[in-house]
Amino acid sequence: MDPDIIAAEQDLARRVAALVAPEEDELFTVLDGVYRKDPARLTAHGPGSDEMLGFGVETLAALVTPVVLASVTEVVRYLTEQYGSTVRARLSLRRARPSAADAEPAVPHLDDAQLAHVRAIVLDKCAQAGLEEGRSRLLADSVAGALRDAV
């Protein structure tokens, strides 16, 4: 996988997780590492998932960060499909935004329809994870807001 895309996913996920689940900040790096190795295992509720991080399924199910990671991965995939390689450097929140003098073409701001699609992606992931409706809406709005500011 493209390192810029991974960095963009991590940066966006960390920013969103800090907004919707700041109490999970210390777990972010561990959860991200597990997610990168096997995304399905982190979000699955099957046998063996309770040994994965050293605590039970009930604790894992209560965490929002895995849902953030899964949602952001899907959103970044959508944006990469929409914009191709021009979005890669622009999405990385670790880097300074390119100046007008940069030769790289600008990624247009997301319009209302694109932001609605981003929210739909996130809400779908939240529903799959069984996340409560209010928290799901907060997560969807946070991802859309972070993207509106980033691109």
Side-chain angles (χ1 to χ4, degrees), residues 1-17 28 32 35-36 39 65 68-78 80 88 91-94 147:
M1 172 142 253
D2 185 319
D4 285 339
I5 295 297
I6 292 171
E9 290 172 357
Q10 289 170 325
D11 291 344
L12 182 59
R14 184 178 289 280
R15 185 172 178 186
V16 171
F28 184 88
D32 180 64
Y35 180 80
R36 299 283 160 208
T65 298
V68 172
L69 289 163
S71 298
V72 165
T73 298
E74 288 299 314
V75 167
V76 170
R77 183 174 298 135
Y78 160 71
T80 302
R88 292 177 183 172
L91 266 180
S92 183
L93 301 173
R94 273 191 255 212
L147 286 172

PDB file of all heavy atoms in Angstrom, residues 1-17 28 32 35-36 39 65 68-78 80 88 91-94 147:
ATOM      1  N   MET A   1       0.836  -1.186   0.000  1.00  0.00           N
ATOM      2  CA  MET A   1       0.000   0.000   0.000  1.00  0.00           C
ATOM      3  C   MET A   1       0.878   1.245   0.000  1.00  0.00           C
ATOM      4  O   MET A   1       1.941   1.259   0.580  1.00  0.00           O
ATOM      5  CB  MET A   1      -0.927  -0.038   1.199  1.00  0.00           C
ATOM      6  CG  MET A   1      -1.706   1.243   1.387  1.00  0.00           C
ATOM      7  SD  MET A   1      -3.372   1.001   1.932  1.00  0.00           S
ATOM      8  CE  MET A   1      -4.309   1.367   0.503  1.00  0.00           C
ATOM      9  N   ASP A   2       0.408   2.275  -0.627  1.00  0.00           N
ATOM     10  CA  ASP A   2       1.112   3.549  -0.751  1.00  0.00           C
ATOM     11  C   ASP A   2       1.326   4.183   0.638  1.00  0.00           C
ATOM     12  O   ASP A   2       0.368   4.389   1.381  1.00  0.00           O
ATOM     13  CB  ASP A   2       0.270   4.463  -1.648  1.00  0.00           C
ATOM     14  CG  ASP A   2       0.943   5.773  -1.949  1.00  0.00           C
ATOM     15  OD1 ASP A   2       1.562   6.373  -1.040  1.00  0.00           O
ATOM     16  OD2 ASP A   2       0.830   6.229  -3.090  1.00  0.00           O
ATOM     17  N   PRO A   3       2.576   4.490   0.996  1.00  0.00           N
ATOM     18  CA  PRO A   3       2.853   5.080   2.310  1.00  0.00           C
ATOM     19  C   PRO A   3       2.128   6.410   2.544  1.00  0.00           C
ATOM     20  O   PRO A   3       1.762   6.725   3.683  1.00  0.00           O
ATOM     21  CB  PRO A   3       4.366   5.284   2.324  1.00  0.00           C
ATOM     22  CG  PRO A   3       4.905   4.502   1.188  1.00  0.00           C
ATOM     23  CD  PRO A   3       3.799   4.258   0.227  1.00  0.00           C
ATOM     24  N   ASP A   4       1.924   7.205   1.476  1.00  0.00           N
ATOM     25  CA  ASP A   4       1.191   8.469   1.640  1.00  0.00           C
ATOM     26  C   ASP A   4      -0.269   8.217   2.022  1.00  0.00           C
ATOM     27  O   ASP A   4      -0.841   8.948   2.828  1.00  0.00           O
ATOM     28  CB  ASP A   4       1.235   9.305   0.361  1.00  0.00           C
ATOM     29  CG  ASP A   4       2.585   9.969   0.133  1.00  0.00           C
ATOM     30  OD1 ASP A   4       3.343  10.128   1.118  1.00  0.00           O
ATOM     31  OD2 ASP A   4       2.873  10.326  -1.018  1.00  0.00           O
ATOM     32  N   ILE A   5      -0.854   7.178   1.432  1.00  0.00           N
ATOM     33  CA  ILE A   5      -2.236   6.837   1.746  1.00  0.00           C
ATOM     34  C   ILE A   5      -2.341   6.346   3.180  1.00  0.00           C
ATOM     35  O   ILE A   5      -3.242   6.743   3.924  1.00  0.00           O
ATOM     36  CB  ILE A   5      -2.790   5.787   0.757  1.00  0.00           C
ATOM     37  CG1 ILE A   5      -2.854   6.369  -0.653  1.00  0.00           C
ATOM     38  CG2 ILE A   5      -4.152   5.275   1.205  1.00  0.00           C
ATOM     39  CD1 ILE A   5      -3.789   7.544  -0.811  1.00  0.00           C
ATOM     40  N   ILE A   6      -1.421   5.487   3.587  1.00  0.00           N
ATOM     41  CA  ILE A   6      -1.426   4.994   4.966  1.00  0.00           C
ATOM     42  C   ILE A   6      -1.258   6.158   5.934  1.00  0.00           C
ATOM     43  O   ILE A   6      -1.976   6.261   6.935  1.00  0.00           O
ATOM     44  CB  ILE A   6      -0.323   3.934   5.178  1.00  0.00           C
ATOM     45  CG1 ILE A   6      -0.659   2.676   4.385  1.00  0.00           C
ATOM     46  CG2 ILE A   6      -0.155   3.614   6.667  1.00  0.00           C
ATOM     47  CD1 ILE A   6       0.455   1.658   4.336  1.00  0.00           C
ATOM     48  N   ALA A   7      -0.327   7.066   5.646  1.00  0.00           N
ATOM     49  CA  ALA A   7      -0.120   8.231   6.508  1.00  0.00           C
ATOM     50  C   ALA A   7      -1.377   9.102   6.566  1.00  0.00           C
ATOM     51  O   ALA A   7      -1.755   9.588   7.629  1.00  0.00           O
ATOM     52  CB  ALA A   7       1.069   9.052   6.018  1.00  0.00           C
ATOM     53  N   ALA A   8      -2.025   9.280   5.422  1.00  0.00           N
ATOM     54  CA  ALA A   8      -3.258  10.071   5.382  1.00  0.00           C
ATOM     55  C   ALA A   8      -4.346   9.417   6.222  1.00  0.00           C
ATOM     56  O   ALA A   8      -5.045  10.088   6.986  1.00  0.00           O
ATOM     57  CB  ALA A   8      -3.724  10.251   3.943  1.00  0.00           C
ATOM     58  N   GLU A   9      -4.493   8.106   6.094  1.00  0.00           N
ATOM     59  CA  GLU A   9      -5.495   7.384   6.886  1.00  0.00           C
ATOM     60  C   GLU A   9      -5.199   7.522   8.376  1.00  0.00           C
ATOM     61  O   GLU A   9      -6.106   7.802   9.179  1.00  0.00           O
ATOM     62  CB  GLU A   9      -5.516   5.910   6.505  1.00  0.00           C
ATOM     63  CG  GLU A   9      -6.077   5.630   5.141  1.00  0.00           C
ATOM     64  CD  GLU A   9      -5.925   4.186   4.704  1.00  0.00           C
ATOM     65  OE1 GLU A   9      -5.324   3.366   5.440  1.00  0.00           O
ATOM     66  OE2 GLU A   9      -6.400   3.886   3.594  1.00  0.00           O
ATOM     67  N   GLN A  10      -3.949   7.321   8.752  1.00  0.00           N
ATOM     68  CA  GLN A  10      -3.577   7.409  10.161  1.00  0.00           C
ATOM     69  C   GLN A  10      -3.800   8.809  10.717  1.00  0.00           C
ATOM     70  O   GLN A  10      -4.321   8.973  11.820  1.00  0.00           O
ATOM     71  CB  GLN A  10      -2.120   6.991  10.347  1.00  0.00           C
ATOM     72  CG  GLN A  10      -1.898   5.513  10.142  1.00  0.00           C
ATOM     73  CD  GLN A  10      -0.437   5.137  10.089  1.00  0.00           C
ATOM     74  OE1 GLN A  10       0.403   5.882   9.576  1.00  0.00           O
ATOM     75  NE2 GLN A  10      -0.111   3.953  10.608  1.00  0.00           N
ATOM     76  N   ASP A  11      -3.391   9.816   9.965  1.00  0.00           N
ATOM     77  CA  ASP A  11      -3.544  11.197  10.427  1.00  0.00           C
ATOM     78  C   ASP A  11      -5.016  11.573  10.586  1.00  0.00           C
ATOM     79  O   ASP A  11      -5.412  12.152  11.597  1.00  0.00           O
ATOM     80  CB  ASP A  11      -2.874  12.170   9.454  1.00  0.00           C
ATOM     81  CG  ASP A  11      -1.355  12.058   9.455  1.00  0.00           C
ATOM     82  OD1 ASP A  11      -0.796  11.470  10.392  1.00  0.00           O
ATOM     83  OD2 ASP A  11      -0.739  12.564   8.505  1.00  0.00           O
ATOM     84  N   LEU A  12      -5.809  11.243   9.587  1.00  0.00           N
ATOM     85  CA  LEU A  12      -7.230  11.562   9.643  1.00  0.00           C
ATOM     86  C   LEU A  12      -7.906  10.780  10.763  1.00  0.00           C
ATOM     87  O   LEU A  12      -8.701  11.339  11.529  1.00  0.00           O
ATOM     88  CB  LEU A  12      -7.890  11.278   8.293  1.00  0.00           C
ATOM     89  CG  LEU A  12      -9.373  11.596   8.179  1.00  0.00           C
ATOM     90  CD1 LEU A  12      -9.664  13.071   8.466  1.00  0.00           C
ATOM     91  CD2 LEU A  12      -9.876  11.224   6.780  1.00  0.00           C
ATOM     92  N   ALA A  13      -7.585   9.496  10.891  1.00  0.00           N
ATOM     93  CA  ALA A  13      -8.187   8.671  11.948  1.00  0.00           C
ATOM     94  C   ALA A  13      -7.804   9.188  13.331  1.00  0.00           C
ATOM     95  O   ALA A  13      -8.651   9.267  14.228  1.00  0.00           O
ATOM     96  CB  ALA A  13      -7.771   7.215  11.785  1.00  0.00           C
ATOM     97  N   ARG A  14      -6.546   9.553  13.521  1.00  0.00           N
ATOM     98  CA  ARG A  14      -6.120  10.071  14.832  1.00  0.00           C
ATOM     99  C   ARG A  14      -6.849  11.374  15.153  1.00  0.00           C
ATOM    100  O   ARG A  14      -7.294  11.580  16.284  1.00  0.00           O
ATOM    101  CB  ARG A  14      -4.617  10.287  14.873  1.00  0.00           C
ATOM    102  CG  ARG A  14      -4.124  10.733  16.253  1.00  0.00           C
ATOM    103  CD  ARG A  14      -2.623  10.895  16.313  1.00  0.00           C
ATOM    104  NE  ARG A  14      -1.885   9.665  16.267  1.00  0.00           N
ATOM    105  CZ  ARG A  14      -1.685   8.849  17.304  1.00  0.00           C
ATOM    106  NH1 ARG A  14      -2.214   9.123  18.462  1.00  0.00           N
ATOM    107  NH2 ARG A  14      -0.964   7.766  17.166  1.00  0.00           N
ATOM    108  N   ARG A  15      -6.977  12.232  14.169  1.00  0.00           N
ATOM    109  CA  ARG A  15      -7.657  13.522  14.378  1.00  0.00           C
ATOM    110  C   ARG A  15      -9.132  13.301  14.739  1.00  0.00           C
ATOM    111  O   ARG A  15      -9.643  13.926  15.673  1.00  0.00           O
ATOM    112  CB  ARG A  15      -7.534  14.352  13.103  1.00  0.00           C
ATOM    113  CG  ARG A  15      -8.070  15.724  13.219  1.00  0.00           C
ATOM    114  CD  ARG A  15      -7.725  16.504  11.971  1.00  0.00           C
ATOM    115  NE  ARG A  15      -8.285  17.825  12.034  1.00  0.00           N
ATOM    116  CZ  ARG A  15      -8.244  18.683  11.054  1.00  0.00           C
ATOM    117  NH1 ARG A  15      -7.653  18.389   9.933  1.00  0.00           N
ATOM    118  NH2 ARG A  15      -8.780  19.868  11.186  1.00  0.00           N
ATOM    119  N   VAL A  16      -9.790  12.408  14.027  1.00  0.00           N
ATOM    120  CA  VAL A  16     -11.205  12.130  14.294  1.00  0.00           C
ATOM    121  C   VAL A  16     -11.369  11.411  15.633  1.00  0.00           C
ATOM    122  O   VAL A  16     -12.255  11.763  16.426  1.00  0.00           O
ATOM    123  CB  VAL A  16     -11.828  11.323  13.136  1.00  0.00           C
ATOM    124  CG1 VAL A  16     -13.218  10.835  13.495  1.00  0.00           C
ATOM    125  CG2 VAL A  16     -11.873  12.182  11.874  1.00  0.00           C
ATOM    126  N   ALA A  17     -10.520  10.436  15.908  1.00  0.00           N
ATOM    127  CA  ALA A  17     -10.607   9.710  17.182  1.00  0.00           C
ATOM    128  C   ALA A  17     -10.407  10.660  18.364  1.00  0.00           C
ATOM    129  O   ALA A  17     -11.074  10.516  19.399  1.00  0.00           O
ATOM    130  CB  ALA A  17      -9.583   8.573  17.220  1.00  0.00           C
ATOM    131  N   PHE A  28      -4.507   4.426  20.636  1.00  0.00           N
ATOM    132  CA  PHE A  28      -4.589   4.608  19.187  1.00  0.00           C
ATOM    133  C   PHE A  28      -3.484   3.873  18.437  1.00  0.00           C
ATOM    134  O   PHE A  28      -3.755   3.151  17.480  1.00  0.00           O
ATOM    135  CB  PHE A  28      -4.580   6.085  18.794  1.00  0.00           C
ATOM    136  CG  PHE A  28      -4.764   6.265  17.315  1.00  0.00           C
ATOM    137  CD1 PHE A  28      -6.033   6.356  16.773  1.00  0.00           C
ATOM    138  CD2 PHE A  28      -3.676   6.307  16.452  1.00  0.00           C
ATOM    139  CE1 PHE A  28      -6.224   6.486  15.404  1.00  0.00           C
ATOM    140  CE2 PHE A  28      -3.846   6.430  15.080  1.00  0.00           C
ATOM    141  CZ  PHE A  28      -5.129   6.525  14.553  1.00  0.00           C
ATOM    142  N   ASP A  32      -4.226   0.943  15.880  1.00  0.00           N
ATOM    143  CA  ASP A  32      -3.871   1.166  14.485  1.00  0.00           C
ATOM    144  C   ASP A  32      -2.948   0.055  13.981  1.00  0.00           C
ATOM    145  O   ASP A  32      -3.124  -0.450  12.876  1.00  0.00           O
ATOM    146  CB  ASP A  32      -3.212   2.538  14.307  1.00  0.00           C
ATOM    147  CG  ASP A  32      -2.832   2.804  12.864  1.00  0.00           C
ATOM    148  OD1 ASP A  32      -3.743   2.891  12.014  1.00  0.00           O
ATOM    149  OD2 ASP A  32      -1.620   2.903  12.580  1.00  0.00           O
ATOM    150  N   TYR A  35      -5.000  -3.023  13.482  1.00  0.00           N
ATOM    151  CA  TYR A  35      -5.872  -2.817  12.325  1.00  0.00           C
ATOM    152  C   TYR A  35      -5.094  -2.968  11.022  1.00  0.00           C
ATOM    153  O   TYR A  35      -5.565  -3.592  10.082  1.00  0.00           O
ATOM    154  CB  TYR A  35      -6.534  -1.440  12.398  1.00  0.00           C
ATOM    155  CG  TYR A  35      -7.447  -1.182  11.228  1.00  0.00           C
ATOM    156  CD1 TYR A  35      -8.728  -1.712  11.198  1.00  0.00           C
ATOM    157  CD2 TYR A  35      -7.019  -0.438  10.140  1.00  0.00           C
ATOM    158  CE1 TYR A  35      -9.568  -1.505  10.118  1.00  0.00           C
ATOM    159  CE2 TYR A  35      -7.844  -0.221   9.052  1.00  0.00           C
ATOM    160  CZ  TYR A  35      -9.120  -0.752   9.050  1.00  0.00           C
ATOM    161  OH  TYR A  35      -9.937  -0.546   7.971  1.00  0.00           O
ATOM    162  N   ARG A  36      -3.901  -2.407  10.945  1.00  0.00           N
ATOM    163  CA  ARG A  36      -3.098  -2.483   9.717  1.00  0.00           C
ATOM    164  C   ARG A  36      -2.719  -3.925   9.390  1.00  0.00           C
ATOM    165  O   ARG A  36      -2.633  -4.291   8.234  1.00  0.00           O
ATOM    166  CB  ARG A  36      -1.821  -1.653   9.833  1.00  0.00           C
ATOM    167  CG  ARG A  36      -2.062  -0.189  10.051  1.00  0.00           C
ATOM    168  CD  ARG A  36      -2.459   0.513   8.792  1.00  0.00           C
ATOM    169  NE  ARG A  36      -3.122   1.754   9.178  1.00  0.00           N
ATOM    170  CZ  ARG A  36      -4.030   2.353   8.450  1.00  0.00           C
ATOM    171  NH1 ARG A  36      -4.380   1.878   7.282  1.00  0.00           N
ATOM    172  NH2 ARG A  36      -4.609   3.445   8.859  1.00  0.00           N
ATOM    173  N   PRO A  39      -7.389  -5.917   9.361  1.00  0.00           N
ATOM    174  CA  PRO A  39      -8.562  -5.074   9.644  1.00  0.00           C
ATOM    175  C   PRO A  39      -9.800  -5.858  10.076  1.00  0.00           C
ATOM    176  O   PRO A  39     -10.509  -5.435  10.984  1.00  0.00           O
ATOM    177  CB  PRO A  39      -8.817  -4.357   8.322  1.00  0.00           C
ATOM    178  CG  PRO A  39      -7.543  -4.414   7.589  1.00  0.00           C
ATOM    179  CD  PRO A  39      -6.864  -5.682   8.033  1.00  0.00           C
ATOM    180  N   THR A  65     -12.341   3.694  18.357  1.00  0.00           N
ATOM    181  CA  THR A  65     -11.201   3.825  17.458  1.00  0.00           C
ATOM    182  C   THR A  65     -11.194   2.789  16.330  1.00  0.00           C
ATOM    183  O   THR A  65     -10.916   3.157  15.183  1.00  0.00           O
ATOM    184  CB  THR A  65      -9.879   3.808  18.249  1.00  0.00           C
ATOM    185  OG1 THR A  65      -9.876   4.934  19.146  1.00  0.00           O
ATOM    186  CG2 THR A  65      -8.676   3.907  17.333  1.00  0.00           C
ATOM    187  N   VAL A  68     -13.482   4.092  13.790  1.00  0.00           N
ATOM    188  CA  VAL A  68     -12.870   5.253  13.141  1.00  0.00           C
ATOM    189  C   VAL A  68     -11.889   4.782  12.077  1.00  0.00           C
ATOM    190  O   VAL A  68     -11.910   5.257  10.939  1.00  0.00           O
ATOM    191  CB  VAL A  68     -12.162   6.167  14.169  1.00  0.00           C
ATOM    192  CG1 VAL A  68     -11.357   7.258  13.469  1.00  0.00           C
ATOM    193  CG2 VAL A  68     -13.164   6.788  15.130  1.00  0.00           C
ATOM    194  N   LEU A  69     -11.030   3.835  12.421  1.00  0.00           N
ATOM    195  CA  LEU A  69     -10.041   3.324  11.469  1.00  0.00           C
ATOM    196  C   LEU A  69     -10.712   2.708  10.245  1.00  0.00           C
ATOM    197  O   LEU A  69     -10.314   2.979   9.109  1.00  0.00           O
ATOM    198  CB  LEU A  69      -9.129   2.310  12.151  1.00  0.00           C
ATOM    199  CG  LEU A  69      -8.149   2.898  13.167  1.00  0.00           C
ATOM    200  CD1 LEU A  69      -7.595   1.800  14.075  1.00  0.00           C
ATOM    201  CD2 LEU A  69      -7.033   3.643  12.464  1.00  0.00           C
ATOM    202  N   ALA A  70     -11.723   1.881  10.456  1.00  0.00           N
ATOM    203  CA  ALA A  70     -12.420   1.249   9.337  1.00  0.00           C
ATOM    204  C   ALA A  70     -13.127   2.291   8.472  1.00  0.00           C
ATOM    205  O   ALA A  70     -13.089   2.223   7.238  1.00  0.00           O
ATOM    206  CB  ALA A  70     -13.422   0.221   9.861  1.00  0.00           C
ATOM    207  N   SER A  71     -13.748   3.272   9.108  1.00  0.00           N
ATOM    208  CA  SER A  71     -14.464   4.316   8.371  1.00  0.00           C
ATOM    209  C   SER A  71     -13.514   5.162   7.539  1.00  0.00           C
ATOM    210  O   SER A  71     -13.759   5.419   6.354  1.00  0.00           O
ATOM    211  CB  SER A  71     -15.224   5.219   9.348  1.00  0.00           C
ATOM    212  OG  SER A  71     -16.190   4.498  10.057  1.00  0.00           O
ATOM    213  N   VAL A  72     -12.441   5.594   8.156  1.00  0.00           N
ATOM    214  CA  VAL A  72     -11.477   6.449   7.472  1.00  0.00           C
ATOM    215  C   VAL A  72     -10.819   5.715   6.311  1.00  0.00           C
ATOM    216  O   VAL A  72     -10.607   6.299   5.240  1.00  0.00           O
ATOM    217  CB  VAL A  72     -10.442   7.003   8.474  1.00  0.00           C
ATOM    218  CG1 VAL A  72      -9.232   7.580   7.769  1.00  0.00           C
ATOM    219  CG2 VAL A  72     -11.092   8.050   9.371  1.00  0.00           C
ATOM    220  N   THR A  73     -10.532   4.439   6.485  1.00  0.00           N
ATOM    221  CA  THR A  73      -9.949   3.658   5.395  1.00  0.00           C
ATOM    222  C   THR A  73     -10.876   3.660   4.186  1.00  0.00           C
ATOM    223  O   THR A  73     -10.435   3.876   3.046  1.00  0.00           O
ATOM    224  CB  THR A  73      -9.658   2.215   5.852  1.00  0.00           C
ATOM    225  OG1 THR A  73      -8.701   2.271   6.916  1.00  0.00           O
ATOM    226  CG2 THR A  73      -9.114   1.370   4.718  1.00  0.00           C
ATOM    227  N   GLU A  74     -12.164   3.452   4.417  1.00  0.00           N
ATOM    228  CA  GLU A  74     -13.131   3.458   3.319  1.00  0.00           C
ATOM    229  C   GLU A  74     -13.272   4.839   2.692  1.00  0.00           C
ATOM    230  O   GLU A  74     -13.378   4.976   1.477  1.00  0.00           O
ATOM    231  CB  GLU A  74     -14.503   2.970   3.802  1.00  0.00           C
ATOM    232  CG  GLU A  74     -14.552   1.495   4.074  1.00  0.00           C
ATOM    233  CD  GLU A  74     -14.266   0.659   2.840  1.00  0.00           C
ATOM    234  OE1 GLU A  74     -14.812   0.942   1.760  1.00  0.00           O
ATOM    235  OE2 GLU A  74     -13.479  -0.303   2.966  1.00  0.00           O
ATOM    236  N   VAL A  75     -13.259   5.870   3.508  1.00  0.00           N
ATOM    237  CA  VAL A  75     -13.380   7.236   2.999  1.00  0.00           C
ATOM    238  C   VAL A  75     -12.172   7.610   2.157  1.00  0.00           C
ATOM    239  O   VAL A  75     -12.309   8.184   1.071  1.00  0.00           O
ATOM    240  CB  VAL A  75     -13.589   8.239   4.160  1.00  0.00           C
ATOM    241  CG1 VAL A  75     -13.391   9.671   3.699  1.00  0.00           C
ATOM    242  CG2 VAL A  75     -14.977   8.049   4.774  1.00  0.00           C
ATOM    243  N   VAL A  76     -10.980   7.280   2.625  1.00  0.00           N
ATOM    244  CA  VAL A  76      -9.773   7.601   1.861  1.00  0.00           C
ATOM    245  C   VAL A  76      -9.760   6.809   0.555  1.00  0.00           C
ATOM    246  O   VAL A  76      -9.370   7.335  -0.491  1.00  0.00           O
ATOM    247  CB  VAL A  76      -8.494   7.363   2.701  1.00  0.00           C
ATOM    248  CG1 VAL A  76      -7.246   7.471   1.839  1.00  0.00           C
ATOM    249  CG2 VAL A  76      -8.433   8.361   3.853  1.00  0.00           C
ATOM    250  N   ARG A  77     -10.227   5.564   0.588  1.00  0.00           N
ATOM    251  CA  ARG A  77     -10.332   4.783  -0.646  1.00  0.00           C
ATOM    252  C   ARG A  77     -11.271   5.483  -1.638  1.00  0.00           C
ATOM    253  O   ARG A  77     -10.958   5.624  -2.817  1.00  0.00           O
ATOM    254  CB  ARG A  77     -10.842   3.377  -0.338  1.00  0.00           C
ATOM    255  CG  ARG A  77     -10.898   2.482  -1.570  1.00  0.00           C
ATOM    256  CD  ARG A  77     -11.275   1.060  -1.226  1.00  0.00           C
ATOM    257  NE  ARG A  77     -10.265   0.482  -0.345  1.00  0.00           N
ATOM    258  CZ  ARG A  77     -10.535  -0.223   0.751  1.00  0.00           C
ATOM    259  NH1 ARG A  77     -11.765  -0.470   1.092  1.00  0.00           N
ATOM    260  NH2 ARG A  77      -9.559  -0.706   1.485  1.00  0.00           N
ATOM    261  N   TYR A  78     -12.403   5.962  -1.154  1.00  0.00           N
ATOM    262  CA  TYR A  78     -13.360   6.697  -2.000  1.00  0.00           C
ATOM    263  C   TYR A  78     -12.711   7.952  -2.593  1.00  0.00           C
ATOM    264  O   TYR A  78     -12.812   8.208  -3.792  1.00  0.00           O
ATOM    265  CB  TYR A  78     -14.599   7.068  -1.181  1.00  0.00           C
ATOM    266  CG  TYR A  78     -15.420   8.190  -1.753  1.00  0.00           C
ATOM    267  CD1 TYR A  78     -16.175   8.018  -2.919  1.00  0.00           C
ATOM    268  CD2 TYR A  78     -15.453   9.439  -1.135  1.00  0.00           C
ATOM    269  CE1 TYR A  78     -16.932   9.061  -3.444  1.00  0.00           C
ATOM    270  CE2 TYR A  78     -16.211  10.476  -1.642  1.00  0.00           C
ATOM    271  CZ  TYR A  78     -16.946  10.283  -2.800  1.00  0.00           C
ATOM    272  OH  TYR A  78     -17.686  11.307  -3.317  1.00  0.00           O
ATOM    273  N   THR A  80      -9.524   8.603  -3.020  1.00  0.00           N
ATOM    274  CA  THR A  80      -8.469   8.232  -3.961  1.00  0.00           C
ATOM    275  C   THR A  80      -9.073   7.821  -5.296  1.00  0.00           C
ATOM    276  O   THR A  80      -8.547   8.173  -6.359  1.00  0.00           O
ATOM    277  CB  THR A  80      -7.602   7.102  -3.379  1.00  0.00           C
ATOM    278  OG1 THR A  80      -7.055   7.536  -2.138  1.00  0.00           O
ATOM    279  CG2 THR A  80      -6.476   6.735  -4.311  1.00  0.00           C
ATOM    280  N   ARG A  88      -3.358  12.270  -2.765  1.00  0.00           N
ATOM    281  CA  ARG A  88      -2.480  11.620  -1.799  1.00  0.00           C
ATOM    282  C   ARG A  88      -1.723  12.599  -0.906  1.00  0.00           C
ATOM    283  O   ARG A  88      -1.809  12.514   0.308  1.00  0.00           O
ATOM    284  CB  ARG A  88      -1.515  10.685  -2.510  1.00  0.00           C
ATOM    285  CG  ARG A  88      -2.258   9.511  -3.090  1.00  0.00           C
ATOM    286  CD  ARG A  88      -1.384   8.593  -3.859  1.00  0.00           C
ATOM    287  NE  ARG A  88      -2.272   7.563  -4.409  1.00  0.00           N
ATOM    288  CZ  ARG A  88      -1.913   6.661  -5.250  1.00  0.00           C
ATOM    289  NH1 ARG A  88      -0.676   6.607  -5.671  1.00  0.00           N
ATOM    290  NH2 ARG A  88      -2.773   5.786  -5.694  1.00  0.00           N
ATOM    291  N   LEU A  91      -4.116  14.921   1.283  1.00  0.00           N
ATOM    292  CA  LEU A  91      -4.854  14.331   2.395  1.00  0.00           C
ATOM    293  C   LEU A  91      -4.010  14.190   3.642  1.00  0.00           C
ATOM    294  O   LEU A  91      -4.543  14.138   4.733  1.00  0.00           O
ATOM    295  CB  LEU A  91      -5.380  12.951   2.002  1.00  0.00           C
ATOM    296  CG  LEU A  91      -6.779  12.906   1.472  1.00  0.00           C
ATOM    297  CD1 LEU A  91      -7.149  11.485   1.119  1.00  0.00           C
ATOM    298  CD2 LEU A  91      -7.787  13.496   2.401  1.00  0.00           C
ATOM    299  N   SER A  92      -2.715  14.076   3.495  1.00  0.00           N
ATOM    300  CA  SER A  92      -1.883  13.876   4.665  1.00  0.00           C
ATOM    301  C   SER A  92      -1.918  15.108   5.545  1.00  0.00           C
ATOM    302  O   SER A  92      -1.456  16.173   5.169  1.00  0.00           O
ATOM    303  CB  SER A  92      -0.445  13.538   4.283  1.00  0.00           C
ATOM    304  OG  SER A  92       0.298  13.283   5.449  1.00  0.00           O
ATOM    305  N   LEU A  93      -2.477  14.950   6.729  1.00  0.00           N
ATOM    306  CA  LEU A  93      -2.634  16.081   7.639  1.00  0.00           C
ATOM    307  C   LEU A  93      -1.334  16.409   8.368  1.00  0.00           C
ATOM    308  O   LEU A  93      -1.241  17.423   9.034  1.00  0.00           O
ATOM    309  CB  LEU A  93      -3.745  15.768   8.646  1.00  0.00           C
ATOM    310  CG  LEU A  93      -5.093  15.487   7.998  1.00  0.00           C
ATOM    311  CD1 LEU A  93      -6.094  15.016   9.055  1.00  0.00           C
ATOM    312  CD2 LEU A  93      -5.623  16.687   7.272  1.00  0.00           C
ATOM    313  N   ARG A  94      -0.330  15.540   8.257  1.00  0.00           N
ATOM    314  CA  ARG A  94       0.964  15.790   8.890  1.00  0.00           C
ATOM    315  C   ARG A  94       1.752  16.847   8.135  1.00  0.00           C
ATOM    316  O   ARG A  94       2.612  17.500   8.680  1.00  0.00           O
ATOM    317  CB  ARG A  94       1.813  14.528   8.886  1.00  0.00           C
ATOM    318  CG  ARG A  94       1.575  13.634  10.043  1.00  0.00           C
ATOM    319  CD  ARG A  94       2.644  12.600  10.031  1.00  0.00           C
ATOM    320  NE  ARG A  94       2.048  11.368   9.564  1.00  0.00           N
ATOM    321  CZ  ARG A  94       2.425  10.176   9.957  1.00  0.00           C
ATOM    322  NH1 ARG A  94       3.405  10.041  10.780  1.00  0.00           N
ATOM    323  NH2 ARG A  94       1.834   9.110   9.497  1.00  0.00           N
ATOM    324  N   LEU A 147     -12.270  16.443   6.761  1.00  0.00           N
ATOM    325  CA  LEU A 147     -11.957  16.448   5.322  1.00  0.00           C
ATOM    326  C   LEU A 147     -12.219  17.803   4.697  1.00  0.00           C
ATOM    327  O   LEU A 147     -11.468  18.248   3.843  1.00  0.00           O
ATOM    328  CB  LEU A 147     -12.778  15.380   4.595  1.00  0.00           C
ATOM    329  CG  LEU A 147     -12.306  13.963   4.825  1.00  0.00           C
ATOM    330  CD1 LEU A 147     -13.286  12.987   4.227  1.00  0.00           C
ATOM    331  CD2 LEU A 147     -10.916  13.762   4.265  1.00  0.00           C
TER     332      LEU A 147
END
